[in-house]
């Protein structure tokens, strides 16, 4: 199976409990022995949907047609992820209780929010890293103080941190499984006027004294996290983890309705929806236009041609890296926090050593 065929196969597997035509297609492929399971494992793992793949195949009783050693491995990884996620749920609930008792209302974001809402039939389905939540600007510094008072400390111990626009540096606590990101923004600065705490707070929802984004804003943030914050719009690719979340959320709200109020964000997010419709063969709602057709044409070329995909990715990542560095230098001219960070970075001997090792100039010894 080539990359595109494998990607689309995995994507359809994620929908088989809701899309009958996809279930029939996937069942036929599996029973006919037409699946390169090594490729499927590689792609689903890279896209962080390996446990979700297992859970969907299990619910449709298709696991009996897979190699026994593969099923055993999938079950093992899924069980480990379930155990981790159950611990994350308890950690998030504890954070919520502590913060609300201090008059702070955290709104849980992305994977953590989905787990707390029980969006998945099995909590093992979603792979995630940090516990993310946003608070108001007035509560931001107090939130940092409260978590530090209960022994949350910096994940990376250093005497300077990048002046992040979106969130405070990651915090951890001994005995707790996940790091924590306290957000003051959810998107890069260029688009923050369209999607921020003020735009989402009135539509937020609460269940069991825990707060989340409204469903439309959950759809938007799920796409923003990849398409904008992780530069998916420039790379012209897809994250199956984010796409699967959008697919599940599309059962709660109209996806096109979720982005209709945006201006600068509309086209990038509509492009993401267009790809979701393509890979899932699903009726996800988006606006068809010349822009989406062009985006899908490039996406298809990237997925179909391994050589082009690799060269395109390297080219775009180099451009983004250069632009990011120039942006930092530009901000350092008129912002003191960036000047301080840049000076400390450039005079950090440990950082220089790490970079020299990465570039192969110095050995790691």
């Amino acid at each position: 199976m080539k990359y595109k065929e494998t990607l689309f196969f995995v994507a359809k597997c994620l929908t088989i409990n809701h899309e009958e035509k996809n279930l029939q297609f996937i069942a036929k492929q599996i029973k006919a022995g037409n699946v390169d399971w090594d490729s499927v494992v590689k792609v689903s793992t890279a896209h962080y949907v390996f446990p979700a793949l297992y859970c969907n195949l299990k619910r449709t009783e298709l696991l009996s047609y897979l190699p026994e050693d593969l099923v055993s491995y999938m079950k093992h990884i899924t069980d480990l992820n379930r155990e981790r996620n159950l611990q994350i749920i308890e950690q998030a609930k504890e954070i919520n209780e502590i913060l609300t008792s201090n008059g702070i209302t955290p709104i849980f974001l992305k994977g953590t929010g989905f787990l707390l809402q029980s969006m998945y039939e099995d909590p093992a389905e979603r792979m995630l890293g940090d516990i993310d939540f946003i608070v108001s600007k007035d509560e931001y510094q107090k939130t940092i103080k409260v978590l530090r008072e209960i022994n949350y400390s910096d994940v990376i111990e250093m005497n300077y941190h990048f002046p992040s626009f979106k969130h405070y540096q990651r915090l951890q606590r001994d005995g707790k499984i996940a790091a924590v990101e306290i957000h003051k923004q959810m998107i890069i600065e260029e688009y923050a006027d369209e999607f921020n705490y003020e735009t989402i707070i009135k539509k937020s929802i609460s269940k069991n004294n825990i707060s989340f984004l409204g469903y439309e804003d959950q759809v938007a943030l799920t796409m923003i996290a990849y398409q904008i914050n992780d530069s998916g719009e420039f790379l012209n690719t897809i994250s199956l983890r984010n796409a699967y979340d959008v697919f599940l959320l599309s059962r709660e709200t109209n996806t096109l309705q979720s982005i209709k109020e945006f201006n600068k964000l509309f086209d990038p997010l509509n492009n993401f929806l267009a790809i979701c419709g393509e890979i899932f063969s699903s009726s996800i709602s988006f606006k068809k236009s010349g822009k989406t057709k062009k985006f899908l044409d490039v996406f298809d070329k990237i997925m179909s041609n391994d050589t082009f995909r690799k060269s395109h990715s390297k080219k775009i990542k180099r451009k983004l890296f250069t632009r990011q560095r120039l942006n930092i230098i530009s901000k350092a001219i008129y912002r003191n926090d960036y000047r301080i960070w840049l000076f400390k970075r450039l005079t950090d001997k440990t950082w220089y050593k790490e970079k020299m090792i990465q570039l192969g100039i110095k050995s790691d010894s």
Side-chain angles (χ1 to χ4, degrees):
M1 295 172 72
K2 292 187 177 297
Y3 182 81
K4 179 184 176 181
E5 184 182 1
T6 306
L7 181 81
F8 277 56
F9 175 85
V10 173
K12 286 183 174 63
C13 283
L14 299 177
T15 72
I16 55 180
N17 283 275
H18 304 287
E19 299 280 349
E20 180 62 29
K21 63 178 180 179
N22 286 350
L23 173 58
Q24 292 178 9
F25 172 80
I26 293 299
K28 183 178 179 180
Q29 294 296 307
I30 291 176
K31 292 176 182 179
N34 294 332
V35 182
D36 179 350
W37 290 108
D38 287 340
S39 295
V40 168
V41 170
K42 183 177 180 181
V43 170
S44 60
T45 300
H47 282 261
Y48 302 103
V49 293
F50 190 60
L53 174 67
Y54 170 80
C55 289
N56 277 281
L57 292 173
K58 181 181 180 181
R59 285 195 288 267
T60 50
E61 300 180 350
L62 288 171
L63 290 177
S64 61
Y65 299 97
L66 276 62
E68 289 185 10
D69 57 341
L70 172 59
V71 174
S72 178
Y73 176 66
M74 295 177 84
K75 182 179 184 302
H76 174 66
I77 297 300
T78 303
D79 287 346
L80 289 176
N81 198 53
R82 183 184 300 105
E83 181 181 346
R84 183 176 190 275
N85 283 354
L86 291 174
Q87 292 182 59
I88 288 175
I89 289 170
E90 291 308 308
Q91 184 182 352
K93 287 181 177 178
E94 179 185 80
I95 290 171
N96 182 70
E97 185 176 348
I98 290 168
L99 292 181
T100 53
S101 68
N102 280 273
I104 300 166
T105 303
I107 299 177
F108 288 90
L109 308 172
K110 299 186 289 187
T112 309
F114 299 148
L115 288 178
L116 290 168
Q117 292 174 86
S118 301
M119 188 171 87
Y120 312 99
E121 289 188 41
D122 186 335
E125 287 186 55
R126 184 54 150 80
M127 299 190 77
L128 69 153
D130 299 336
I131 293 174
D132 292 83
F133 60 85
I134 189 170
V135 295
S136 69
K137 292 178 182 178
D138 293 338
E139 296 172 337
Y140 183 66
Q141 291 299 329
K142 183 179 180 182
T143 302
I144 296 168
K145 182 174 181 291
V146 168
L147 289 190
R148 285 196 174 278
E149 285 175 348
I150 59 170
N151 298 319
Y152 275 88
S153 59
D154 295 344
V155 170
I156 301 176
E157 294 288 346
M158 56 195 310
N159 62 3
Y160 67 98
H161 292 275
F162 185 75
S164 173
F165 175 75
K166 292 189 298 177
H167 56 77
Y168 192 65
Q169 58 254 29
R170 296 168 69 235
L171 299 176
Q172 64 183 357
R173 182 181 174 185
D174 288 345
K176 300 299 179 181
I177 198 163
V180 174
E181 285 190 353
I182 307 167
H183 284 254
K184 53 185 174 179
Q185 298 286 352
M186 298 168 288
I187 192 170
I188 60 175
E189 195 167 358
E190 180 182 352
Y191 300 94
D193 59 328
E194 289 195 351
F195 194 73
N196 53 57
Y197 184 87
E198 287 70 30
T199 66
I200 60 92
I201 186 58
K202 292 181 180 179
K203 296 179 286 184
S204 64
I205 57 179
S206 180
K207 296 181 180 179
N208 300 318
N209 203 36
I210 302 176
S211 297
F212 315 97
L213 299 179
Y215 287 120
E216 289 185 0
D217 288 333
Q218 288 185 47
V219 172
L221 180 58
T222 299
M223 296 188 290
I224 285 168
Y226 181 73
Q227 198 75 338
I228 304 300
N229 295 339
D230 292 342
S231 304
E233 174 74 357
F234 296 104
L235 294 167
N236 227 135
T237 54
I238 191 71
S239 160
L240 287 182
R241 177 172 61 175
N242 296 60
Y244 181 47
D245 289 340
V246 168
F247 174 77
L248 294 179
L249 286 165
S250 72
R251 302 178 62 79
E252 301 290 344
T253 188
N254 181 282
T255 50
L256 181 56
Q257 181 75 14
S258 300
I259 66 173
K260 70 180 182 64
E261 299 297 329
F262 294 132
N263 292 311
K264 291 181 291 185
L265 282 168
F266 181 84
D267 285 335
L269 302 192
N270 192 53
N271 286 337
F272 190 97
L273 291 175
I275 292 182
C276 286
E278 183 86 357
I279 64 172
F280 291 138
S281 294
S282 172
S283 56
I284 286 179
S285 179
F286 68 95
K287 181 181 178 181
K288 295 182 179 180
S289 68
K291 291 180 180 179
T292 57
K293 184 181 184 304
K294 182 179 179 181
F295 195 84
L296 286 173
D297 286 345
V298 176
F299 172 74
D300 183 69
K301 182 179 179 181
I302 291 171
M303 295 300 104
S304 303
N305 188 317
D306 289 348
T307 302
F308 179 72
R309 183 173 66 257
K310 292 173 183 178
S311 64
H312 174 80
S313 177
K314 288 181 180 179
K315 178 182 177 181
I316 295 300
K317 287 179 179 179
R318 281 198 300 267
K319 285 185 177 181
L320 292 172
F321 178 83
T322 301
R323 189 172 73 172
Q324 181 187 46
R325 292 301 180 270
L326 290 175
N327 185 47
I328 291 172
I329 294 171
S330 174
K331 287 183 176 179
I333 295 173
Y334 61 90
R335 285 185 52 173
N336 189 51
D337 55 345
Y338 274 81
R339 281 198 298 275
I340 292 172
W341 178 85
L342 188 58
F343 174 78
K344 289 186 176 181
R345 174 64 93 188
L346 293 174
T347 56
D348 185 344
K349 293 181 180 179
T350 301
W351 177 76
Y352 265 116
K353 181 180 178 181
E354 290 175 353
K355 286 300 174 185
M356 290 177 73
I357 292 172
Q358 289 176 8
L359 294 170
I361 299 173
K362 186 179 179 67
S363 63
D364 186 11
S365 58

